[in-house]
């Protein structure tokens, strides 16, 4: 940590800052410039993180040098991690595609969707049995019945199943049916839920929060990994900005950022990321070209009767077309 | 709902849209303009909300006319609601002040803080026993021990107690010690937790999410009220923007917006809202002048040893000064 | 400037960084921590500002310690500046109010507006003769004819005139009629225009850019002052965020920020800042309570026939009401 | 336009709204729903755009149905436009690459950069002779001398020249040396400058503003085209968001949006869009995969001595690598 002393600070102010650092078992370097005195704090980064130096008189600002996350960082673990989900690999050299309806609505809908996405080349069936919805009056999901349908449709089509968990009391229930536990954007900083899936024995797909920084997202993953679960897959799904033409602003530079800062795989959800089905295919191509390890795509056999997010769901024929285009880009990127 | 047909849409596209509306038990009005045909949908607003009209061919966009929340709306309940917390009133004509440290650290710290905030005129002691923190390595709170300290310090000073709940399994525990249940910004869309506090018998302080719209915030309150708990107090605490000089951007226009759209009281937290203790007093004055029903302020006897958010905590002497200034503005606004 | 070396950097990388600093005529301090080596750069801040240290191999990041602006900073000029506009003072102890229609439309409209705002207590008539509009098909202003009307109406009512300048070739023309030159939000970083008004002999009202940081805003003022014009008044007018209920998000903490960082006065425009006439009065009160030196308010005798921004304009009767409320808050704040 | 009447509105309020519409020479359709009455306004969209209906009593909100831009819209001109710059084509089927240093610094630097970018396959040399900089103390460019160097280096290497214009009085000067006039992000809504380049006889590269919506960007282009200059190329360069890891957030969905709404070509600048040279190559690949017509890339022979933006400039060897990768993606997308 760097502490910048105000030009109006007194020698006593500086002395108190130095005393505090030594009392905390840390060391410091002083650097007196023309306009400012700078104090560099050295030592255990967890102790440094707890210093409240801005509360001291004469301190103008503090600057953090090292981030708090460790286990998820590439510095700690230089090689890429490949997450193995019952034989299906997510990470370097592989193209993982998770597709299906936003919400599980009926066995018929799900079977149709599963057959279609399997045929087009996806390895995972996605679908929500518990839906976090802005309004209490919106469809909230079929719950356990939905989980059963997902498992049945996934098994029938030969697909792994990924589904969202919204309540920490449902972990055993969801683990019974799903292959991958999804943490949704609204729960990215639901730390109790993160700790709970950190103790589960299933891989976790961690969506980026609506306005989460890259740093907060990595720290959210650290919550999971620090509880013992190392199988975390990041999923960029768009961030909230002032732009209203798209539902969110898909931040593909997040893919490059995660690749630089972490060893864990990252996939992209262009359906939520744009909110417009017309944009899903170009953004899917772009995601893979940016280096993403895979995609999550909403596919619905009949979007016009969907109970949620029909606006951004692809019809089967458009998904097939997307997969053809994406596979060509993936091949260029060395993924199969 | 208004449906705007694309200029490239065909009569068949329009027919399918009309058929869908009638099948859903709704009615429509057609309006053919020079450039666009507009379809106005009329009928039950819950049914309208579930239509997926953007998924239809030929539809350019749809525009929602009415919002989904109802119980919290001023349209439904024109008079201001006053929330009564064991005799202390929050709402029209009253100035509610909740103050205390960010996190409960020790009995000594809390007793000192409670005496000070009581003396300056606050009616509520705030303090976190469960702390949602960005990093798993940050101080996470004293849990039940912290709740016990809060109750003891509150009782000793004659203050009501407000504290955050982060886990739906802790409701009975927190209700045992607290007078007001706080939902933090990161949990504003943790819908399971909202439903749970909606069934509790304690008033709820609902902080605005980091990047929540006014509309999402009102819908979050609707989750609570629709479960039977009508005692909800909104708390504006700053939103996330591109500006980095402040920790968040305090949106005081949200006070006027809530007053226009809802009958429930709204208070303001300038400590989190700015993240800089120097700005807390001017923003507190401004909040009350904007029409807020009260304030939530971080006060710590010794900010430089605080375990969290020392940067934005006021010393007792500064809090006393703030209260003097705020009371003068409150008097102008007809609050005591 | 602080340079943080990557943990993967080599001694050669560090050597090249040190060499570059010395070649530039600067000095450094090294601080080797457990995880990172930090290089503190000392010397002339203009030279430091031009170093491109992130381009060096082994550099993880750089952190700027001092800001580039100087003349507008409180560090350079501790006392508050009061801008005197022909005897009307803007700054400490004074309440400056600039009011009038968004656009000058006719002599009749302007005379009516001027009489009304004068009567209610404003000292400045505002009105646009050159209107920067999003679409080329929107009303662009009456140009010189509008300036003439402004002058005439201002003189008739005994008001100073403030109007926007959008073209650097119009400086002489606008100076002929106006008492204060307004730089609009869209031109806050039109550096040619800033330099031009910096050479003019009239005070400048500098609106904050749509998404300008506090730092960029101060630097924009530095462009003006560094050309010789020290009479700059800041005007907060809302920033662009994800929220759509209001036209912009009025950032009143910017008032406290400017007061902390600069000696120049700052006023607030709640009309553009909210875009809703119902919110103008509460936000005006809040602005003054936050410490603002004045207000800019849109007032139109007949908002429903306004050629621009009728939605956010106050009727005369509402402006009179606003002025009564604002004066009471101003009195509390020691302003007359 | 759709006008939504408040549930509290009276028949007289509605009558005044209807009268206003008829007086303006427009027509309306009424649609009375369960909760709201809706008025659809029909007629000339320029007249509709000037109605100030929110200022009427009883009006809850208004919704615009059609956008104001026309000449740049795909609705008006369904086929893709290809901009021809002295034989080099920008648009469908072509891959346009503009590369070079951020600022022109010396003849030597520029010659070296030009040779390198030509060899790697770019067709345009970029470089700034007039630099809009946040601080008045930053390097502001070599002005006409810089333009001369650009022309000389471009001619020597066989490259077209693109450079930024910041002052409307410099149009003739810049046109004398440049093949393409660049409007920078900070000037996207400098409407005087837009009108001026709209009258020039050179193609215009229009960068997206720092926080411009897609709609504002299209309207900015409409300013240029409506003055007679139809050769406009859009350039996405990142928008301002809360994320600080990158300098801006590159919005690649803007490429798909422009392709949907306009017939004009669009390129991407991943150098400014990310601000980190490590991210330029993945984002360049992604841009082309998203459908962009080309790229603008900062290349500097020696980034560590650059006078501006060295942090985001590629070295020649990295640019060559980027071009190899990009060409492979471009081929997949049918571009050469």
């Amino acid at each position: 940590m760097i502490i910048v002393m105000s030009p109006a600070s007194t020698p006593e102010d500086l002395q108190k800052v130095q005393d505090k650092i030594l009392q905390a078992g840390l060391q410091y370097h002083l650097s007196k410039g023309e306009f400012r005195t700078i104090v560099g704090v050295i030592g255990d980064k967890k102790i440094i993180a707890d210093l409240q130096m801005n509360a001291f008189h004469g301190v103008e600002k503090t600057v953090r040098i090292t981030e708090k996350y460790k286990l998820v960082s590439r510095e700690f673990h230089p090689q890429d991690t490949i997450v193995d989900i019952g034989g299906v690999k997510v990470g370097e050299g592989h193209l993982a595609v998770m597709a299906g309806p936003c919400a599980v609505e009926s066995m018929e809908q799900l079977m149709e969707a599963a057959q279609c996405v399997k045929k087009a080349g996806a390895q995972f069936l996605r679908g929500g049995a518990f839906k976090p919805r802005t309004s209490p009056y919106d469809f909230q999901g079929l719950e356990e019945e939905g989980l059963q349908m997902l498992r049945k449709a996934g098994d029938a089509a030969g697909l792994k199943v990924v589904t969202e968990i919204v309540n920490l009391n449902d972990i055993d229930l969801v683990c019974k049916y799903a292959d991958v536990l999804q943490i949704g954007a609204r729960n990215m900083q639901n730390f109790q839920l993160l700790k709970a899936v950190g103790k589960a024995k299933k891989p976790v797909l961690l969506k980026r929060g609506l306005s989460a920084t890259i740093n907060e997202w990595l720290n959210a993953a650290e919550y999971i990994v620090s509880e013992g679960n190392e199988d975390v897959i990041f999923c960029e799904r768009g961030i909230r900005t002032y732009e209203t033409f798209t539902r969110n602003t898909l931040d593909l530079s997040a893919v490059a950022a995660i690749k630089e800062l972490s060893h864990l795989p990252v996939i992209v959800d262009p359906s939520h990321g744009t909110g417009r089905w017309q944009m899903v295919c170009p953004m899917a191509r772009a995601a893979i070209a940016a280096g993403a390890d895979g995609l999550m795509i909403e596919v619905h056999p009949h979007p016009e009767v969907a109970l949620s997010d029909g606006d951004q769901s692809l019809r089967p024929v458009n998904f097939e077309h997307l997969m053809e285009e994406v596979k060509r880009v993936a091949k260029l990127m060395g993924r199969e």
Side-chain angles (χ1 to χ4, degrees), chain A:
Chain A
M1 180 194 274
I2 297 294
I3 300 165
V4 182
M5 299 302 294
S6 156
S9 64
T10 65
E12 290 70 37
D13 290 338
L14 183 59
Q15 192 58 51
K16 283 187 188 162
V17 165
Q18 292 168 302
D19 292 349
K20 168 76 177 185
I21 294 166
L22 295 176
Q23 281 162 22
L26 304 164
Q27 288 182 282
Y28 61 83
H29 268 93
L30 279 194
S31 167
K32 300 199 179 198
E34 195 172 345
F35 298 98
R36 295 285 188 287
T37 293
I38 310 288
V39 186
V41 187
I42 303 164
D44 184 318
K45 71 179 177 176
K46 287 189 196 178
I47 298 176
I48 292 175
D50 282 339
L51 290 176
Q52 298 286 327
M53 300 312 298
N54 283 308
F56 277 73
H57 202 261
V59 170
E60 185 171 292
K61 65 176 171 181
T62 60
V63 181
R64 183 178 296 163
I65 300 304
T66 48
E67 298 303 341
K68 292 186 181 174
Y69 55 81
K70 178 185 168 193
L71 303 174
V72 305
S73 74
R74 191 172 283 282
E75 198 173 327
F76 174 75
H77 183 305
Q79 287 78 26
D80 275 3
T81 286
I82 296 180
V83 175
D84 188 315
I85 300 157
V88 179
K89 285 167 182 162
V90 182
E92 217 194 348
H94 304 277
L95 172 69
V97 181
M98 307 179 180
C102 180
V104 176
E105 294 161 8
S106 70
M107 199 63 232
E108 193 185 359
Q109 166 231 32
L110 210 56
M111 291 297 272
E112 200 176 342
Q115 298 300 333
C116 145
V117 305
K118 171 71 181 183
K119 190 182 134 206
Q123 309 98 328
F124 297 84
L125 176 64
R126 63 145 291 162
F130 301 96
K131 298 302 305 172
R133 301 297 299 275
T134 298
S135 162
Y137 310 125
D138 285 339
F139 175 61
Q140 309 268 324
L142 295 181
E143 309 193 352
E144 186 168 3
E145 197 189 343
L147 294 174
Q148 290 166 340
M149 291 177 185
L150 269 172
R151 186 73 267 163
K152 204 178 282 183
D155 286 345
L159 294 165
K160 302 293 171 192
V161 165
V162 50
T163 197
E164 183 168 355
I165 178 161
V166 298
N167 184 327
L168 56 94
N169 298 327
D170 291 337
I171 293 237
D172 290 343
L173 180 69
V174 178
C175 282
K176 193 171 147 194
Y177 297 103
D179 299 301
V180 181
L181 306 178
Q182 179 181 325
I183 299 290
R186 282 167 188 75
N187 282 314
M188 193 205 85
Q189 290 197 318
N190 181 340
F191 301 117
Q192 309 304 313
L193 188 59
L194 297 179
K195 287 178 190 173
V197 300
K199 292 190 185 99
K201 305 292 177 215
K202 299 273 181 171
V204 177
L205 183 78
L206 180 65
K207 288 203 154 187
R208 185 178 183 183
L210 268 77
S211 63
T213 62
I214 298 290
N215 187 47
E216 289 168 339
W217 197 15
L218 289 163
N219 274 298
E222 187 83 8
Y223 263 96
I224 300 169
V225 178
S226 66
E227 295 287 339
N229 189 344
E230 299 179 2
D231 290 335
V232 176
I233 303 163
F234 290 100
C235 180
E236 160 67 26
R237 46 77 73 202
I239 59 172
R240 184 160 277 187
T241 70
Y242 64 85
E243 179 61 69
T244 56
F245 185 72
T246 44
R247 179 174 176 180
N248 293 290
T249 296
L250 191 67
D251 177 15
L252 290 182
S253 68
V255 172
I258 292 292
K259 289 288 170 199
E260 180 178 336
L261 300 171
S262 177
H263 53 93
L264 294 167
V266 55
I267 70 169
V268 171
D269 174 352
S271 302
H272 282 88
T274 64
R276 297 171 65 91
W277 67 264
Q278 305 92 324
M279 287 183 160
V280 173
C281 182
M283 288 301 102
R285 290 190 313 251
I288 298 304
D293 296 299
L295 298 165
M296 173 168 260
I297 308 278
E298 285 193 12
V299 179
H300 194 290
H302 310 286
E304 68 278 9
V305 296
L307 293 186
S308 78
D309 288 348
D311 304 354
Q312 67 198 31
S313 295
L314 292 188
R315 289 168 200 281
V317 60
N318 292 327
F319 179 65
E320 283 170 36
H321 172 69
L322 174 149
M323 285 298 290
E324 281 167 31
E325 301 225 341
V326 161
K327 282 178 193 166
R328 286 192 289 157
V329 180
K331 202 175 164 193
L332 265 194
M333 298 294 296
R335 294 186 186 279
E336 309 221 9

